[in-house]
Amino acid sequence: MSKSSNESVSEQKKLDVTKWFESLRDQICISFETLENEHVGPFSEKPAGRFERTEWNRPDQAGDGGGGIISLMRGRVFEKVGVNISVVKGIFSDELKEKIKGANKNKYFWAAGISVVAHPLSPLVPAAHMNTRHIITSESWFGGGADLTPYYPDQFDTKSFHLALKNACDKYNEEYYPKFKKWCDDYFFLPHRNEPRGVGGIFYDELNTQNWDHDFAFTREVGKTFLKSYSLIVSERKNKPWTKEQRDYQLERRGRYVEFNLLHDRGTQFGLKTGGNLEAIFMSLPPTVSW
Amino acid sequence: MSKSSNESVSEQKKLDVTKWFESLRDQICISFETLENEHVGPFSEKPAGRFERTEWNRPDQAGDGGGGIISLMRGRVFEKVGVNISVVKGIFSDELKEKIKGANKNKYFWAAGISVVAHPLSPLVPAAHMNTRHIITSESWFGGGADLTPYYPDQFDTKSFHLALKNACDKYNEEYYPKFKKWCDDYFFLPHRNEPRGVGGIFYDELNTQNWDHDFAFTREVGKTFLKSYSLIVSERKNKPWTKEQRDYQLERRGRYVEFNLLHDRGTQFGLKTGGNLEAIFMSLPPTVSW
C-alpha cells in the first residue's frame, strides 16, 4: 500500500464513489440537454445548448494531486449551467491540517465530489445548486446538499422541491430532513443583508453513521432526487414568457448570489486557499449580473 | 467639549476637511455631467446622464453615527459612476479597537472621506477609482489614492495618468510617488489569479508628517489631479466606436473587479464589519458583469 493512501476506506469503495459521480454527471447532462432540446418557450429560435467538457489537474506537493472535469453548457433554457466532478488527493497544508477532521492524524487526504450550479435564462425559472462529496482523511465522511434560488418564488416549486428532499431523507433517517433543512437555512444566509440566498433545501456534512453503504446510498439519493425534482421545475416554468423588468430584477438579484459566493461561501474560500482550479471554483457565478 | 470629540484635531479642521470633500464631489459631478453633455460618440442618441443623490445615516452605539451622501449617475458615457462622501463618528467595536491606529487609547473616532468609482460604458475607456479620507482617533492621519483599470490598456493613458500623479506627489515629497505607486501595485492585486487589478496609480495610508496643513494640501492635490487626468482620458477615448467582442471582453474582465472587491478589498470588509451603508459599499461594483 502506498504511503499516500488512506486506510479508512478501501480502494474499491473509492472506485465505486468515483463511478457514481461520473454516472450522476452523465444523467444530469443528458436531462438538461433534453430540456434544451424540448424547449418551445422564449428564445426557442436559438439553438439548443450542448455541454462542453474541460479537464483540469491539481498540483500537489505529494506529486499527483488528481483533478476533475467541468461540463459547461450555455444554452437557451440554461443561460449557464456547470457540472464539475473531481477526484483530488494529496497532503493538507499545515493551516488546513488543524481545520479538517482527522487531518491531524494523517495529513494525506482523498476527496471526490460533484457540484452542479444552474442559472436559467428565464427569471421565472429558479437557479439551483447541488453538491455531494466523499472525503477521506484518517476518518471519512459524506457531505453535500441541494438548494433552490428562485427570483420569483413560486409556492408550488418551493413545496415540491422540499417535499422531494424530505422524502429522500426520510427513507434513511427521519431526523435528517429537519436537521439538514435548518443547516441549509443557516449556511445559505447573507449576514450583511440579513436575508437568505434562496428558499433553501438541505445541507449536511461530516456524515458517518458507521454504515458506509447506508451513507453512500443516501448521498446517491440526494443526487437523484435533486435531478428529478429540479428538472420537473425547469420543465414546468421554462415556457412562460417574461418581461424586461423581470429579467432586470433577476440580474440584480444574481448580484446577491455573487456576494454570497465571494464573501461568505466556505467552499469558495477553501478552493482558493488550496490552489483549486479557478474555472471550477467560479463555475458557480452567474453568467450575467448587474449592480 | 463633548465626551465623543477627539482632541487631536480641531473642530475647525474637521469642518475644513468636510467642506473640501463636498467641494471636490461637486467639481467631479459637474465635470462628469459635462462629459455626458458633450458626448458625440456611440450611444449619443441616449439622453445625457445626471447624478442623483441619496442620503444615508449610520447607526452607532454612541448615538449619532454620522452618515453620507451617494451621488450616482447611470449615463451614456458612464454606465455607472458613484461619488460617495461621508462623515462618520462613534465608538469602535472591541475587535476594531485593536486594529486601528490610536483606537486603543481613545475608542471615539471621526472619519470623513470621498470615494469615486467610474465604470464607463465603452470598453475602450478605463474604469477608475479615487478615494481620500481623514481619520481621527487619539491620533490622526490622511489616506487615499487613485488608480486606473483599463480593459484595453493604452500606453498613453497609463503614462499620462501616472505622470500626473507623480507630479502631484513630487510637489510635496519626492519619495511619495515611488513609495505610493508600489503600495498601490501591492494592494490592487488578485493573489488567486496572480494578476494586478489594473495599471495602478498611487495608494497611501496613515500619512501624518506632523504638518497637518501640508498633509491636507497633498490630499486635495490627489483629488484634483485624479479629476483632471481621468476626465482628459475619458474625453479622449469616449467617442471611439467599439465592437461587441470588445464589450463582451469588458464584461468578463469586470468580473475580476468584483472578485477583487468582494474577496480582497479591506475597505469592503471594513464597511461590512462596521455596519456601513450597503449602497455606499457596493457602489463600487460594476453595472453589468459576466462570468
Side-chain angles (χ1 to χ4, degrees):
Chain A
M1 182 168 284
S2 104
K3 67 169 185 172
S4 67
S5 66
N6 303 79
E7 295 164 46
S8 58
V9 176
S10 71
E11 295 300 318
Q12 184 57 49
K13 284 177 176 166
K14 288 183 190 172
L15 199 62
D16 290 347
V17 167
T18 303
K19 290 275 172 210
W20 161 250
F21 289 137
E22 286 172 0
S23 159
L24 180 59
R25 184 266 320 272
D26 292 343
Q27 293 172 53
I28 291 169
C29 290
I30 288 169
S31 295
F32 288 2
E33 286 189 354
T34 303
L35 286 166
E36 287 282 329
N37 289 343
E38 294 172 350
H39 184 51
V40 293
F43 291 94
S44 56
E45 71 282 4
K46 288 176 67 182
R50 284 292 171 267
F51 278 98
E52 289 184 14
R53 293 190 179 177
T54 310
E55 283 193 45
W56 53 272
N57 294 299
R58 185 184 157 279
D60 189 90
Q61 48 176 316
D64 176 18
I69 301 171
I70 300 167
S71 301
L72 192 74
M73 176 166 75
R74 295 181 187 266
R76 58 190 187 181
V77 174
F78 295 97
E79 189 175 354
K80 179 183 175 186
V81 53
V83 187
N84 185 46
I85 58 167
S86 62
V87 180
V88 298
K89 54 193 172 176
I91 298 176
F92 277 124
S93 67
D94 287 343
E95 186 193 348
L96 286 169
K97 251 167 61 182
E98 301 306 314
K99 289 186 181 168
I100 309 284
K101 195 167 98 165
N104 48 353
K105 281 194 196 164
N106 178 347
K107 64 183 177 176
Y108 292 103
F109 73 94
W110 184 94
I114 183 167
S115 175
V116 184
V117 181
H119 293 287
L121 186 63
S122 164
L124 306 179
V125 182
H129 160 250
M130 188 275 289
N131 160 242
T132 49
R133 55 192 174 269
H134 185 37
I135 297 178
I136 311 175
T137 59
S138 66
E139 304 195 37
S140 76
W141 64 90
F142 288 88
D147 63 280
L148 203 65
T149 307
Y151 299 114
Y152 287 92
D154 176 284
Q155 214 183 10
F156 178 82
D157 290 347
T158 304
K159 276 190 183 168
S160 73
F161 189 74
H162 274 275
L163 186 62
L165 290 170
K166 181 178 185 304
N167 288 340
C169 287
D170 285 354
K171 281 192 215 171
Y172 292 82
N173 186 326
E174 293 202 346
E175 289 175 6
Y176 280 1
Y177 175 73
K179 184 178 167 190
F180 297 165
K181 177 191 184 301
K182 184 179 182 307
W183 205 338
C184 185
D185 288 340
D186 292 343
Y187 185 84
F188 291 105
F189 189 79
L190 286 77
H192 65 283
R193 294 196 180 269
N194 195 32
E195 67 183 36
R197 187 175 81 172
V199 299
I202 59 169
F203 184 98
Y204 65 105
D205 206 0
E206 301 192 355
L207 181 72
N208 184 343
T209 64
Q210 306 298 322
N211 181 340
W212 192 91
D213 290 327
H214 186 270
D215 297 343
F216 179 36
F218 172 65
T219 288
R220 292 199 303 276
E221 189 80 33
V222 170
K224 284 182 287 188
T225 301
F226 165 79
L227 175 57
K228 194 172 164 187
S229 175
Y230 182 58
S231 296
L232 193 64
I233 290 170
V234 174
S235 169
E236 291 280 337
R237 303 287 163 218
K238 70 184 176 55
N239 295 338
K240 203 175 168 193
W242 70 84
T243 64
K244 185 185 177 300
E245 284 67 34
Q246 289 171 323
R247 173 72 176 166
D248 287 345
Y249 180 70
Q250 176 199 39
L251 299 187
E252 186 196 318
R253 296 298 301 183
R254 279 177 174 172
R256 307 285 207 273
Y257 207 95
V258 176
E259 289 171 24
F260 178 81
N261 284 23
L262 298 187
L263 287 170
H264 304 298
D265 187 49
R266 288 198 308 252
T268 303
Q269 300 292 337
F270 180 85
L272 293 175
K273 274 188 187 162
T274 53
N277 181 269
L278 285 185
E279 214 179 321
I281 295 169
F282 291 130
M283 183 192 82
S284 65
L285 297 178
T288 319
V289 184
S290 66
W291 275 280
Chain B
M1 183 169 283
S2 104
K3 68 171 183 172
S4 68
S5 65
N6 302 80
E7 295 163 47
S8 58
V9 176
S10 71
E11 294 301 317
Q12 184 57 50
K13 283 176 177 168
K14 289 182 189 173
L15 200 62
D16 290 346
V17 167
T18 303
K19 290 276 172 208
W20 162 249
F21 289 137
E22 286 172 2
S23 159
L24 180 59
R25 183 266 321 272
D26 292 343
Q27 293 172 52
I28 291 170
C29 290
I30 289 169
S31 295
F32 287 3
E33 287 190 353
T34 303
L35 286 165
E36 287 281 330
N37 291 342
E38 295 173 349
H39 184 52
V40 293
F43 291 93
S44 56
E45 71 282 3
K46 289 177 67 181
R50 285 292 170 267
F51 278 98
E52 290 184 14
R53 293 190 179 178
T54 310
E55 283 194 44
W56 55 272
N57 293 298
R58 184 183 158 281
D60 189 273
Q61 49 177 317
D64 175 17
I69 301 170
I70 301 168
S71 301
L72 193 74
M73 176 166 74
R74 294 180 188 266
R76 58 190 186 180
V77 174
F78 295 97
E79 189 175 355
K80 180 182 175 187
V81 54
V83 187
N84 185 46
I85 58 166
S86 61
V87 179
V88 298
K89 53 194 171 176
I91 298 176
F92 277 125
S93 67
D94 287 343
E95 186 194 348
L96 285 170
K97 251 166 61 182
E98 301 306 314
K99 289 187 182 167
I100 309 284
K101 195 167 99 164
N104 48 353
K105 281 195 197 163
N106 177 348
K107 63 183 177 175
Y108 291 105
F109 73 92
W110 184 94
I114 184 168
S115 175
V116 184
V117 181
H119 293 287
L121 186 62
S122 164
L124 306 180
V125 182
H129 160 250
M130 188 274 289
N131 161 241
T132 49
R133 56 193 174 270
H134 185 37
I135 297 178
I136 310 176
T137 60
S138 65
E139 303 194 39
S140 76
W141 65 90
F142 289 89
D147 63 280
L148 203 66
T149 307
Y151 300 114
Y152 287 91
D154 177 285
Q155 215 184 9
F156 178 82
D157 291 347
T158 304
K159 277 190 183 167
S160 72
F161 189 73
H162 274 275
L163 186 62
L165 290 170
K166 182 179 185 303
N167 288 340
C169 288
D170 285 353
K171 281 192 215 171
Y172 292 83
N173 186 326
E174 294 203 344
E175 289 174 6
Y176 279 1
Y177 176 72
K179 184 178 168 191
F180 297 165
K181 177 191 184 303
K182 183 177 183 308
W183 205 338
C184 185
D185 288 341
D186 292 345
Y187 185 85
F188 291 105
F189 188 80
L190 286 77
H192 65 285
R193 294 198 182 268
N194 194 32
E195 66 183 37
R197 187 174 82 172
V199 298
I202 59 169
F203 184 98
Y204 64 104
D205 206 0
E206 302 191 354
L207 180 72
N208 184 342
T209 63
Q210 305 297 323
N211 181 340
W212 191 91
D213 290 328
H214 185 269
D215 297 344
F216 180 36
F218 172 66
T219 288
R220 292 200 303 276
E221 188 81 33
V222 170
K224 286 182 286 187
T225 301
F226 164 79
L227 175 57
K228 194 172 166 188
S229 175
Y230 182 58
S231 297
L232 193 65
I233 290 170
V234 175
S235 169
E236 290 280 336
R237 304 286 162 218
K238 71 184 174 54
N239 296 338
K240 201 175 170 194
W242 70 84
T243 65
K244 185 184 177 302
E245 284 66 34
Q246 289 172 324
R247 173 72 175 166
D248 287 346
Y249 181 70
Q250 176 199 38
L251 299 187
E252 186 196 319
R253 295 298 301 184
R254 279 178 175 173
R256 307 285 206 271
Y257 207 95
V258 176
E259 290 171 23
F260 178 82
N261 284 23
L262 298 186
L263 287 170
H264 304 298
D265 187 48
R266 289 197 308 251
T268 303
Q269 301 291 338
F270 180 86
L272 294 174
K273 275 188 187 162
T274 54
N277 181 270
L278 285 185
E279 214 179 321
I281 295 170
F282 292 130
M283 183 193 83
S284 65
L285 298 177
T288 318
V289 184
S290 67
W291 274 281

